[in-house]
């Protein structure tokens, strides 16, 4: 992979878009060539639109990006590969339109995740689902990554599903503020407080993991047959979603065996080397008081899911705590890793050619 | 009940002890006559031992209390009724000794909660368990209240157990700092962070609710036959434990029916009027984003358990969120209400006489 | 004052407006009869506009208020007395228009505070400035209260100016989130952080105190001749502005003498009893680590300014720390106290009659 | 400087000691050879004493250090150069004893900072003061760095003192939690709160800057002749002390001229290259809302002091806001930079030889 190819970034000024812009800086395979944001900031330079962070801007984004003009998302794009960090409200029809125009759209938006012909991918778990793109009805293609909480959960569930079979999962999350985008909850609402509800989040946790761990058969994915029930909470943490997980397995297993399977998980990428893939997909922590958001979110540059406290569950079989960096592994890094997977499979060359 | 009787308070300078002292001020049935703390502060006046809060002390505790000398817990006590807010590490043998000497000890400590002949009481749930005191082997008696998280959970579970029968409970807590006592976690540990572990807490949630909701038969309580699995977390909130609860019922029920049962719960006190009992044991909140610790912990002067988000559970039958003021309903108020129940049943006169 | 008179509230759904609504509930002199908010919510009932707090609404505001329809601010008002909690951007022309129509407008907005013919009043400091209203050019009248930080500072400076004369004041503030209105800074911006700037705040601290402590001469106020320099910061505290103050006096004084003057301050109200006036305008705290926002903001129901740490200043004469409840003493309570002063002076009967 | 020399670290398990251990890992000039902590942990391995952070320990400190046994501070030390991160309470006599035994002690403790024959050094400001070591009465030597807040203030004041002369300084600090060491304030004390007092801090700000900016004449330092008055506060921030500074200059200057002098400050190191010295001693930020602790503390790997909001002061001449990473530039990095200065001046070879 000796040559960098151009990519476009849609929704560049939101929380996830900015993080993608940071991670695309000096990326070995991709060069950020065009950026778009909502109409409100179209016409501005990227640097002007993130002006309240201007002191950081150059070191965070690089000086070249600061001068790039923000385009309208529906404009004509030059790069074949487009990364989408759009809010779901606007991503729906636009991503389809761009795929129809021949682009390969790699999206973090929730709009099309559950569409039958759209793969929902975590490269270390279900890279084979990428074949769905070949059967899509558009000249281009559309690939999605899961919700930020789902990424962490699915990574932890995958080896257990493989080893023991999953029957039911109960998960309770303590989610960070950056998961709410900009501006997110007000500081006044979060002082001496936590919030018991995140709109739409529990529904995603209840269905996305089964599609990711499902089986590709012909032109569709048969979801894995386990149930997920979620309670979601917002806590005053900047980054890092903590999740308390209880699991009922199809084949009984002791906590030690479960821990060994988690610790030994290699993922499904085999020899494929992707620049943003961490050395360890999962890191198992020994200390009883870990993982913690501030101490553990940056493991593997934010791409490693930390798991601790694997122990017997009085109701199900086993329970544990996991932590996922919602903004990296759960969003920008998830989309970027998917884009890398697409390039490694030469999808970026194939789409649009058909 | 026209006359106030004297009570003693052991462990008066800790977080729960201070709260008891505040609530005993101007109490209609009890007068705080003697106080004890650990040997380190014995000999000091109560006011001198809480000196870092001295500007508040007079309005919080009343000027009389400030001059009361702190005694050793094992000293000879004059009041027959003793409230114990001792750390469990020291409560164990001492509470037994005091009961042997003829005192009625109403304790918040965990040491004896699960002893077969010691009742574990929430007055609105299982006041009949108080009969166990008659069968205790001491001249005096010993009555306990549950762990602070357990109080909230048991209050919510009681009407469901009564109406539908409980089979299994999965609970995940977001617990406030005051539940950790003084000094509790350092501010540095909690900045931009939550903690995934509270020592000993999950074990209490796994066994105390069944004793409370169990059946008194002869000289022992047969615990209710349901299982509880808990995940406990510490969050940067001053007071108020939030709990995400999923419940499997023996007799299937729709969320609406469950909500109706929770909202209609009257408790088991009947005509007994206790000064610290709230008008509503449970308050059901309609808003999707409630209960919240800062907004809801003080309902019913901190004695009402707030419940919201009653909805279908994808794995069990129903799930909901509850909030309990850990320091009031979960600790000081729990002990005080038990003391009031004891007095209303004239136990304070009976013990010691035998 | 046996009869309650009707008042209107403009800007009723903002942070200050809601607080005024709470404080007007069961007010002995005033009955909240009409409410207005921005056009966006006009037509809604007050209760519908504060719907995210609906569980609190009845106990906070009373059920009557919840049904009151929100009017446009420029509509015809029935009450002669109007309280304005409008954002300054819209308060400017509208308050003048309402005064011209014959209303007595008691405003918390900054728009007209420094107008020569508009009094800027803290009842305990400069009630005589109310005479300016007689000379106003409108049928009605316009009375303002200071910026939330200025209220605390002016209360502390008044007795010192009286006793020793002020020459220069250097103040550094740590301001609470509620001072920023709704929604205020995002929680993400405040995690593990403080902000070094509050737009427009330092300018107000530099000029409002001198007008308040100035001398009424004929139809204008000659400002007091001292300089104020301010540094303002936002901190993650819900309510309560803390201020570090250094003062150079015209007549040298020892810290003890300064503390005695602060502690002995009675204010200028004399025999006038206003319902919202606290028993103590200033409370001097002995402990070195006080005042603190959470522990001290509610003294005198939020109307008492707490002062501590009076000590020698190495550069000026004396320095100390003060705390003011920004939402009560600094805003809603400030306006309400001014309205009470107006009624006690029978201004509510006089204006409009001319 | 081709060879690493061995150093010892006293007080290795406290907040500053740990940070020194982190920064000594892979240091080009120094190798951490021996470590000591208080008697309580003496005998343990370093790794065992920091066991609650064990998951981080290897990546933070390196595996070699984890096995190093913790010695008693008064034991015989092999390295000539000792870094001291002792609490001041124990540093006093021990550091003298070690200097007498022939060690060069580079200390972060406050005990001897103001001793006439002990230099108080910030290498970019007063490296010449190091000559005091030649005149010390011990076989070895003792060099100190300032208090964490003083470091930031002195760095900002130095170029102004040079260019315009300082007359008076008023400073108000918002200090981070790590400045309080371990455990520091409890989380319960800091929820929805800030603290108005830090014991001993204002006194250090009032005298240390003048010694640093003073003139070495013979065997003593004549302190610079300006006064400093400080207000210090603790805020819920992990790292980074923010300071609001007002300055009266001897020679009047406009804010623009002051900003230019700050931005252009090169420091006094000239051609001396020290590994821990940042590229910029001061970084001037343009945005009105900067510096902020979370966004700016890590500039120059925590060794750059950020300054913003340079503007006219209504009472003095000019005012501005600065931020210093208290744990790096203000403590561990300060001591390490002093040790580097000592080695670059070959002091490590000279002491002990006399």
């Amino acid at each position: 992979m000796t040559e960098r190819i151009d990519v476009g970034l849609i929704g560049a000024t939101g929380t996830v878009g900015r993080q993608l812009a940071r991670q695309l800086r000096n990326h070995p395979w991709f060069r950020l060539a065009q950026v778009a944001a909502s109409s409100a900031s179209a016409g501005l330079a990227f640097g002007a639109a993130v002006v309240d962070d201007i002191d950081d801007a150059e070191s965070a984004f690089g000086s070249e990006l600061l001068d790039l003009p923000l385009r309208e998302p529906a404009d004509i794009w030059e790069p074949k590969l487009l990364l989408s960090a759009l809010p779901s409200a606007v991503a729906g029809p636009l991503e389809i339109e761009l795929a129809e125009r021949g682009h390969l759209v790699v999206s973090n938006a929730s709009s099309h995740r559950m569409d039958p012909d759209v793969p929902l991918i975590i490269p270390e778990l279900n890279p084979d689902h990428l074949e769905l793109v070949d059967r899509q009805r558009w000249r281009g293609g559309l690939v999605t990554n899961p919700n930020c909480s789902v990424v962490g959960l699915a990574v932890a569930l995958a080896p257990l599903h493989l080893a023991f079979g999953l029957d039911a999962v109960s998960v309770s999350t303590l989610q960070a503020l950056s998961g709410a985008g900009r501006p997110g909850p007000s500081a006044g609402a979060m002082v001496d407080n936590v919030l018991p509800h995140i709109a739409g989040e529990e529904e995603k946790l209840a269905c996305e993991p089964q599609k990711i761990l499902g089986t590709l058969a012909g032109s569709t994915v048969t979801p894995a047959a386990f149930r997920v029930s979620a309670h979601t909470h917002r806590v005053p943490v900047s980054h890092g979603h903590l999740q308390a997980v209880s699991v009922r397995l199809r084949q009984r297993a002791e906590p030690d065996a479960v821990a060994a399977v988690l610790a030994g998980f290699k993922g499904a990428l085999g020899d494929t080397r992707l620049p943003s893939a961490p050395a360890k997909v999962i890191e198992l922590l020994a200390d009883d008081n870990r993982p913690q958001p501030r101490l553990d979110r940056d493991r593997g540059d934010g791409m490693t899911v930390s798991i601790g406290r694997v122990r017997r569950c009085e109701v199900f079989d086993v329970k544990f705590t996991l932590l996922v960096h919602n903004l990296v592994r759960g969003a920008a890094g998830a989309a970027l890793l998917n884009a890398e997977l697409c390039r490694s499979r030469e999808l970026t060359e194939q789409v649009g050619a058909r």
Side-chain angles (χ1 to χ4, degrees), chain A residues 137-153:
Chain A
R137 56 195 189 278
W138 314 296
R139 280 207 305 133
L142 177 53
V143 174
T144 63
N145 61 262
N147 165 276
C148 50
S149 284
V150 171
V151 175
L153 183 62

Side-chain angles (χ1 to χ4, degrees), chain A residues 53-307:
Chain A
D53 298 321
I54 198 69
D55 289 311
D56 286 320
E58 191 168 330
S59 63
F61 301 117
S63 53
E64 274 178 44
L65 175 56
L66 298 184
D67 294 331
L68 270 194
L70 286 164
R71 308 149 44 79
E72 296 269 1
D75 282 354
I76 301 300
W77 290 85
E78 282 169 25
K80 188 179 284 183
L81 178 58
L82 299 180
L83 288 155
S84 166
L86 287 170
S88 299
V90 296
L94 181 68
E95 291 181 353
I96 299 296
E97 187 193 320
L98 291 167
E100 280 175 348
R101 287 200 226 152
H103 295 283
L104 178 62
V105 180
V106 176
S107 173
N108 179 61
S110 65
S111 320
H112 299 290
R113 285 180 194 150
M114 298 303 292
D115 290 3
D117 56 351
V118 174
L120 180 61
I121 290 188
I122 296 173
E124 293 97 331
L125 307 194
N126 62 340
D128 57 309
H129 289 198
L130 204 58
E131 289 177 31
L132 273 182
V133 175
D134 296 336
R135 290 151 216 168
Q136 287 178 339
R137 56 195 189 278
W138 314 296
R139 280 207 305 133
L142 177 53
V143 174
T144 63
N145 61 262
N147 165 276
C148 50
S149 284
V150 171
V151 175
L153 183 62
V155 164
L157 294 181
L160 305 186
H161 190 51
L162 221 61
F164 312 109
L166 289 172
D167 181 44
V169 178
S170 181
V171 58
S172 181
T173 69
L174 289 78
Q175 299 188 213
L177 297 161
S178 60
R182 295 167 71 92
S186 78
M190 296 301 305
V191 167
D192 193 5
N193 209 16
V194 294
L195 304 179
H197 178 60
I198 301 176
E201 200 78 0
E202 296 175 356
E203 293 79 356
K204 291 168 193 161
L205 279 156
C207 68
E208 294 184 9
Q210 296 92 327
K211 178 169 179 180
I212 300 164
L213 301 184
T215 311
L216 181 71
S219 61
T220 185
V221 170
T222 307
F226 58 88
R227 286 166 299 147
V228 180
S229 172
H231 294 263
T232 56
H233 308 89
R234 187 74 69 196
V235 295
V237 162
S238 61
H239 307 294
H241 291 355
L242 196 78
Q243 304 182 26
V245 185
S246 286
V247 173
R248 188 164 57 212
L249 303 168
R250 296 203 173 271
Q251 175 187 333
R252 274 288 172 94
E254 292 299 301
D256 280 357
V258 167
V261 162
L262 290 169
F265 184 55
K266 297 289 174 214
L269 280 176
D271 290 337
T272 309
R273 294 272 166 271
L274 304 181
S276 301
K280 292 181 176 185
V281 191
I282 289 173
E283 183 154 356
L284 201 70
L285 308 180
D287 195 275
D288 236 13
N289 204 16
R290 304 293 280 269
Q292 294 179 20
R294 199 188 55 212
L295 301 185
D296 297 305
R297 62 192 167 207
D298 289 328
R299 290 182 188 277
D301 289 330
M303 291 296 285
T304 292
V305 173
S306 299
I307 302 183

